[in-house]
Amino acid sequence: MSRARAAIILAAGQGTRMKSALPKVLHEVGGRAMLDWAIAAAADTGAARTIIVTGAHSPVVGEHVAKALGPNAPVIQDPPLGTAHAVRAAEQAMAGFDGDIVILYGDAPFVPVERIEAMFALRAEKGGLVVLGFEARDPTGYGRLLLAADGSVERIVEHKDATAQERAVKLCNSGVLCADARTLFKLLAQVRNENAKGEYYLTDVVALGRAAGEQTNVVIGVEADTLGVNSKVELAAAEAGFQQRMRIAAMEAGATLIDPATVYFSHDTQIAADVVIEPNVFFGKGVKIAKGARIKAFCHIEGAEIGEGANVGPSARLRPGTKLGPKVKIGNFVEIKNSTFGEKAQASHLTYVGDADIGARANLGCGTITCNYDGFDKYRTTIGEDAFIGSDTALVAPVTIGKGAYTGTGSVITKDVPEGALGVARARQANIEGWADKNRAKKRKDKPA
């Protein structure tokens, strides 16, 4: 990478078709805001500086960007007068930058890093400007790339301004553009708004550049990678496309998905080979699954690490901070939060474990509860190796169950149980002879005839 790189991401659109109070670019695909997909792509291509152009109508976008990239990253386009005007809003923030800039979009989350890399490489080889194009099955609505005899881009025409002959062209413009910083802003200053929409089009820099001796070349990508999202319908389509790619990638990496269409991934889900995933499983952010694990049907998992050969579910919920060691067994209707399980530990059914550390081979009986919250603070429970927690035990944290210790079924444990001991905390049983017969007779006598 010989020249410095930077990115300008356009995120100032009104997003009115989303019909939502949440700004369009903050809607999520694969558990990540669309804008964050573009920010990540810029970072992955080595951008030394990334500027996000936001709108005055969406201060929350600026706050989101400042949190992610620092207070100097967001700039405001006000009023919105088109894409060229939006890029010019970033000019001051790019002052002093001497290198190549790529223009990305906050509502186009899937532009592949390798395509952006190809654009930078082509610019390094041939100079001038580089655009990202694609062959559309139905080019209606897209700007068309009109090529010269040498294969370079002569100009880009928007659909509304195109002639019938130009609309027949299927090579379309994604809007992604790469150019030398000084050349880019010099050309932008010449853009006029003499078009059907009365806006300043970024695409006009191609013809202006050609007139100034700057050739524009094209990298051709795939239509699905360049699609923008403008409505909830398109958002759902983007999610569906993402999920399909993730399912295929997981299976190609050696995971078994019994019913792929019912398994949902996050952008950062990591699944090793020989993992088996049964139907109707949802992975939120931050899930990592080691080889040989099995995730049974109807599990909801987020922020969790699952060890080699572990068995989870069916109908289990693993919340953030969960770490399961090798060969751990988590059964049906078990919820775990911010807890660790040592090798071969198990909670087979109907159990809640929050803020706890469970030793190797420990067994949590049905109905075990860690009482970790007093309404103000959270407290931890520690269960030693080979401990056995009797069914329906409530462990009132902070409390420690020693190595190899037992708790009696139905106990409410409020004090530590030493290693090898049995902790029992329940009322002594008393039998009242004849009570049931007398009560039954009384009820029958009182019942109206």
Side-chain angles (χ1 to χ4, degrees):
M1 189 171 70
S2 57
R3 286 176 58 80
R5 296 176 177 179
I8 296 174
I9 302 174
L10 305 189
Q14 296 278 352
T16 54
R17 283 196 280 160
M18 296 297 282
K19 300 292 193 297
S20 174
L22 182 69
K24 176 173 66 170
V25 297
L26 297 186
H27 281 78
E28 292 187 348
V29 176
R32 174 194 263 175
M34 290 192 289
L35 176 57
D36 289 343
W37 281 94
I39 290 173
D44 290 344
T45 55
R49 192 181 304 183
T50 298
I51 301 300
I52 317 297
V53 181
T54 69
H57 60 281
S58 297
V60 67
V61 177
E63 294 167 6
H64 180 92
V65 172
K67 185 177 180 180
L69 298 174
N72 296 323
V75 299
I76 296 176
Q77 179 196 20
D78 189 25
L81 298 175
T83 50
H85 182 262
V87 177
R88 289 197 72 183
E91 185 170 4
Q92 185 174 350
M94 282 292 178
F97 176 77
D98 185 17
D100 294 338
I101 295 175
V102 63
I103 311 300
L104 301 172
Y105 296 83
D107 60 359
F110 299 136
V111 177
V113 170
E114 55 266 32
R115 300 282 188 236
I116 303 172
E117 290 281 6
M119 294 176 72
F120 279 123
L122 187 58
R123 217 208 78 76
E125 176 188 351
K126 295 189 175 182
L129 288 72
V130 178
V131 295
L132 178 62
F134 61 91
E135 292 281 349
R137 287 183 299 175
D138 178 7
T140 303
Y142 291 118
R144 308 304 203 276
L145 298 179
L146 306 180
L147 304 185
D150 62 0
S152 65
V153 181
E154 189 170 88
R155 64 191 179 94
I156 302 174
V157 60
E158 296 299 326
H159 181 86
K160 289 184 177 181
D161 301 310
T163 65
Q165 183 178 2
E166 291 167 341
R167 289 183 180 184
V169 174
K170 291 194 172 183
L171 182 60
C172 297
N173 178 40
S174 70
V176 180
L177 180 144
C178 179
D180 166 73
R182 280 183 283 189
T183 300
L184 175 64
F185 290 114
K186 180 180 178 181
L187 294 174
L188 286 170
Q190 302 172 40
V191 173
R192 298 292 177 263
N193 64 344
E194 298 166 357
N195 52 63
K197 295 180 70 175
E199 293 184 351
Y200 297 89
Y201 291 152
L202 177 62
T203 51
D204 286 352
V205 301
V206 171
L208 292 169
R210 193 173 189 88
E214 296 281 352
Q215 190 176 67
T216 296
N217 296 293
V218 59
V219 168
I220 299 178
V222 179
E223 183 175 7
D225 293 336
T226 61
L227 291 178
V229 173
N230 295 296
S231 69
K232 292 291 179 62
V233 173
E234 292 175 355
L235 183 69
E239 183 72 41
F242 163 78
Q243 293 297 340
Q244 181 64 6
R245 289 191 292 273
M246 288 292 287
R247 292 161 186 155
I248 292 171
M251 291 185 287
E252 288 181 341
T256 297
L257 276 61
I258 294 175
D259 186 2
T262 67
V263 178
Y264 292 85
F265 295 95
S266 174
H267 68 96
D268 59 355
T269 307
Q270 298 180 50
I271 299 178
D274 294 320
V275 169
V276 177
I277 303 173
E278 296 183 4
N280 298 294
V281 173
F282 180 89
F283 296 110
K285 290 184 281 189
V287 175
K288 184 176 181 180
I289 306 176
K291 65 180 182 180
R294 188 179 190 100
I295 312 300
K296 294 185 177 180
F298 295 100
C299 288
H300 188 287
I301 302 172
E302 57 183 325
E305 296 182 15
I306 299 172
E308 185 174 338
N311 201 310
V312 178
S315 300
R317 184 184 181 195
L318 306 185
R319 292 167 57 192
T322 297
K323 294 184 178 181
L324 307 183
K327 300 181 180 178
V328 165
K329 180 182 178 182
I330 303 300
N332 52 292
F333 304 107
V334 174
E335 179 178 355
I336 303 173
K337 186 269 295 186
N338 192 32
S339 298
T340 62
F341 276 64
E343 184 173 3
K344 295 185 179 179
Q346 57 184 341
S348 296
H349 32 221
L350 299 166
T351 293
Y352 170 70
V353 181
D355 302 297
D357 298 295
I358 315 301
R361 301 172 301 282
N363 183 83
L364 278 60
C366 177
T368 297
I369 299 172
T370 59
C371 307
N372 56 324
Y373 183 49
D374 65 0
F376 299 94
D377 299 300
K378 299 287 181 70
Y379 302 92
R380 290 196 79 77
T381 297
T382 301
I383 299 174
E385 296 179 357
D386 300 300
F388 187 94
I389 307 302
S391 296
D392 201 28
T393 294
L395 301 164
V396 183
V399 68
T400 297
I401 310 301
K403 180 180 179 181
Y406 272 57
T407 67
T409 296
S411 293
V412 178
I413 302 297
T414 60
K415 296 180 180 179
D416 293 351
V417 179
E419 290 188 12
L422 167 63
V424 180
R426 62 190 180 209
R428 185 177 297 275
Q429 181 173 324
N431 296 332
I432 303 174
E433 297 293 339
W435 182 93
D437 290 337
K438 292 176 182 178
N439 181 67
R440 191 175 295 112
K442 182 179 183 300
K443 294 293 185 183
R444 287 171 178 166
K445 182 179 179 180
D446 292 344
K447 187 176 180 180

